[in-house]
Amino acid sequence: MIIDCHCHAGPGDGLTGPWDSDLALARYTRRAAKAGIDRTVLLAAFHSDYASANEAVAALVAAQPQRYYGLAFVHAARDRGRIGAMVRTAVERHGFVGIKVHRHDAPISGEICDAARAFGIPVLYDPMGDVHVAELLATQYPDVDFILPHLGSFGDQWSSQLALIDHLVRHPNIYTDTSGIRRFDLLCDAVRRAGPHKVLFGSDGPWLHPGLELHKVRLLGLNKEDEALVTGLNFLRLIGKRG
C-alpha cells in the first residue's frame, strides 16, 4: 500500500495565495491514482478557524474512508486552551490519526505535544527551517513521534536540512517526509544515515505533483522492503496500524 502522508485539502479563507484558498482534490486525485498511490493523509489549508477547517476535512475523509486519513490542524497561539478539545473531537468523532502544526502560524507548544501524548498520535510539524526544536521535542516528549516534513525546510535551507539529518540519526522519535525536497543528495543522505525507517513519502499536494514526488523515492534505489517502509509502512506504524 502506497500512502501519501502529506496533502492539503478543503477550504481556506485568507486568499493571499493557494496555501490559504480553497483546495479542490480532483486534479490531485487523478494524478495520485495514475501514480499508484492508494491512500492519502489530508490536512487543512491555512485558515482563520481550524476547528471549521478540520470539519471540512472530516467530511472529505468520511466520504471516502477507504481512501483518506485525516490530521487535525491546530494553531499553537490562537487555539491555546482548547487544543486538547479540538484534538479530542478530531480523533474520537472523526477518526483522525494525527496533528498538523505549522511554524508559519506559531511555534509548536507544549499544549500540542501534551495532546499528542494523551491520544497516542504523531505530530506533523513544519518548523520552516528552525530544526533546533527537534532536540527539545525529542528529549522532552520521547513518547511522542514528530514528523518534520521537507527535511525541515520547504524553503530549501541547506544548513537546516543537513542539521535535521543529525536529529533523525540521534532521536528515535524524529522523522521526516520526502515532500518538496529539491536537494536530492540530502534525501539520499537522510535515508543512508538515519535509515529508511525514519523517512515517509509525502507530496505536499495538491500543489506538488504526487507522481513526481513518489518518483523521487523510486530513484533512491532501495530494495523492495526498504521502499515499502518509506511509501507506507512507516506511516502505518506511527498511527498504530499494520495494514
Side-chain angles (χ1 to χ4, degrees), residues 52-102:
S52 173
N54 289 338
E55 289 292 327
V57 171
L60 294 172
V61 174
Q64 298 188 67
Q66 76 289 347
R67 179 70 180 83
Y68 297 126
Y69 298 97
L71 298 188
F73 213 137
V74 298
H75 191 299
R78 191 177 61 216
D79 294 325
R80 184 179 294 118
R82 65 169 185 160
I83 286 172
M86 290 174 66
V87 173
R88 179 179 297 278
T89 295
V91 172
E92 296 184 352
R93 182 183 302 173
H94 302 309
F96 281 17
V97 296
I99 301 171
K100 173 64 164 75
V101 192
H102 206 293

Side-chain angles (χ1 to χ4, degrees), residues 144-163:
V144 177
D145 293 315
F146 298 92
I147 307 164
L148 277 59
H150 324 305
L151 262 184
S153 173
F154 186 81
D156 202 24
Q157 298 176 42
W158 174 83
S159 59
S160 295
Q161 293 176 323
L162 194 63

Side-chain angles (χ1 to χ4, degrees), residues 37 47 76 83 90 110-113 132 146 164 170 191 193 199 205 226-227:
I37 296 169
H47 202 282
I83 286 172
E111 185 181 3
I112 292 170
C113 299
H132 60 274
F146 298 92
L164 185 65
R170 293 190 296 110
V191 173
R193 292 179 56 200
V199 179
D226 288 345
E227 185 173 291

